Amino acid sequence: MLAIAAELGYRPNRAARALTTGRTHNLGLIVSDIANPFFPPLIKAAQAYAREREYHVFVADTDEDPQAEEELIQTLAKQVDGVVLVAPRLTNQAIERLGMELPFVVVNRKVKGLSGVLMDVAQGAALAVDHLAGLGHRRLALLGGPRGSWTSEQMRKAAEGAVARHGLDLTAIGPNAPTEEGGQAAAAAVRESGATAVLAYNDLVAIGVIEGLGELGTEVPRDVSVVGVDDTVAGRLNRPKLTTIVMPTPAAGRTAVDLLLQAVDAGGSRTAAQTTLETSLIVRESTGPAPA
């Protein structure tokens, strides 16, 4: 029978199979801004791993809008077996409520009762402060991300602990849009703070603040050192090349899909498996000794 089906070019009808098995063999992956270079490596890794497990991935972009995020989750819930939610902008309460409807895995957010993949940005932020302190910087500025960002909050806590350990001053500036324009808009506040080093929410914000400082006559790294987060292609191509916290985004994509499929295989029961991936610091050209 199988040979005859192959000879006739028969292909199983996925919709019909979904009716009998209760599975669509589709997964949803929702990101806050697909234009941000942080997301494509995670998406590609998640799609490749899902394909190995004979699943397809629907990717959706919320454009940093919590309401759009909720609407997309509700729409995808009818078409997928589970959802990976990356760097969400919804509140934890909203995510918990939506997670009652189908299997959920959250990336870079800790939500009670839901499985998650965390990239240890706090570890990276501490390494960045250690690096800047070693270069003689005494006054640091922290450019936070959008309001409600788990990553931004973890960076703030880690940076505060690290500067206290080194006896440094820290000025928190934000919330900021997680974009190049957000960094440019924060440049004047950085200069007014008197900081000689900046830890930015992500590489795009770091690149933007370098541009904004340049427009104000402040040179990086001669006058101000700048550290980004993510290790994106944009940061490697920027001039000066960006010192940055390396986030293991491909590993996060694969791990998130693996955790999600474990929940699907378990019949959609709520699980709370947590995986934390290590980060590191790569030093390039955007950091240097503190000015005399």
Side-chain angles (χ1 to χ4, degrees), residues 210 220 234-242 285:
I210 290 172
V220 174
R236 290 174 228 144
L237 296 177
N238 191 63
R239 292 295 179 271
K241 292 182 180 179
L242 199 59
E285 301 167 350

Side-chain angles (χ1 to χ4, degrees), residues 20-44:
T20 57
T21 64
R23 292 194 189 182
T24 65
H25 278 256
N26 297 323
L27 304 175
L29 194 155
I30 298 177
V31 300
S32 52
D33 181 7
I34 205 167
N36 186 325
F38 167 81
F39 291 107
L42 187 151
I43 293 168
K44 286 183 72 67

Side-chain angles (χ1 to χ4, degrees), residues 108-122:
N108 274 3
R109 175 75 77 84
K110 224 172 188 177
V111 181
K112 184 179 178 183
L114 294 180
S115 292
V117 181
L118 305 176
M119 288 175 265
D120 195 354
V121 70

Side-chain angles (χ1 to χ4, degrees), residues 227-262:
V227 178
V229 177
D230 293 342
D231 189 28
T232 60
V233 172
R236 290 174 228 144
L237 296 177
N238 191 63
R239 292 295 179 271
K241 292 182 180 179
L242 199 59
T243 295
T244 187
I245 296 167
V246 181
M247 300 285 269
T249 47
R254 290 189 296 270
T255 304
V257 170
D258 188 47
L259 288 176
L260 185 58
L261 292 181
Q262 288 179 37

Side-chain angles (χ1 to χ4, degrees), residues 40-282:
L42 187 151
I43 293 168
K44 286 183 72 67
Q47 286 181 322
Y49 185 77
R51 198 174 298 120
E52 290 175 13
R53 302 284 297 273
E54 298 186 343
Y55 274 79
H56 297 286
V57 177
F58 297 158
V59 179
D61 175 10
T62 70
D63 200 23
E64 299 285 344
D65 183 350
Q67 183 176 344
E69 195 166 73
E70 181 163 358
E71 290 170 356
L72 279 169
I73 292 168
Q74 291 170 337
T75 299
L76 282 175
K78 305 165 188 174
Q79 307 171 55
V80 299
D81 298 328
V83 170
V84 174
L85 194 57
V86 188
R89 300 297 179 237
L90 285 167
T91 64
N92 277 16
Q93 292 79 4
I95 296 171
E96 287 176 32
R97 172 173 49 79
L98 292 163
M100 298 293 291
E101 300 177 17
L102 78 166
F104 249 46
V105 170
V106 185
V107 178
N108 274 3
R109 175 75 77 84
K110 224 172 188 177
V111 181
K112 184 179 178 183
L114 294 180
S115 292
V117 181
L118 305 176
M119 288 175 265
D120 195 354
V121 70
Q123 176 191 35
L127 290 172
V129 172
D130 291 345
H131 168 64
L132 295 169
L135 292 170
H137 294 278
R138 310 301 300 169
R139 302 189 70 178
L140 277 59
L142 175 66
L143 297 187
R147 197 180 306 278
S149 164
W150 179 88
T151 296
S152 186
E153 182 65 12
Q154 297 307 302
M155 286 178 63
R156 181 188 64 78
K157 290 178 180 177
E160 287 176 349
V163 298
R165 189 170 68 250
H166 289 287
L168 312 180
D169 293 327
L170 179 70
T171 301
I173 299 171
N176 301 286
T179 60
E180 197 172 330
E181 292 76 15
Q184 286 178 303
V190 168
R191 205 161 84 147
E192 289 169 11
S193 74
T196 62
V198 177
L199 176 56
Y201 172 74
N202 63 18
D203 284 358
L204 291 181
V205 173
I207 290 168
V209 80
I210 290 172
E211 293 174 359
L213 288 171
E215 292 167 1
L216 296 172
T218 300
E219 188 177 325
V220 174
R222 183 194 67 190
D223 305 313
V224 176
S225 289
V226 176
V227 178
V229 177
D230 293 342
D231 189 28
T232 60
V233 172
R236 290 174 228 144
L237 296 177
N238 191 63
R239 292 295 179 271
K241 292 182 180 179
L242 199 59
T243 295
T244 187
I245 296 167
V246 181
M247 300 285 269
T249 47
R254 290 189 296 270
T255 304
V257 170
D258 188 47
L259 288 176
L260 185 58
L261 292 181
Q262 288 179 37
V264 171
D265 290 340
S269 58
R270 284 169 65 94
T271 58
Q274 294 290 327
T275 300
T276 300
L277 304 174
E278 289 189 358
T279 58
S280 59
L281 180 74
I282 185 165

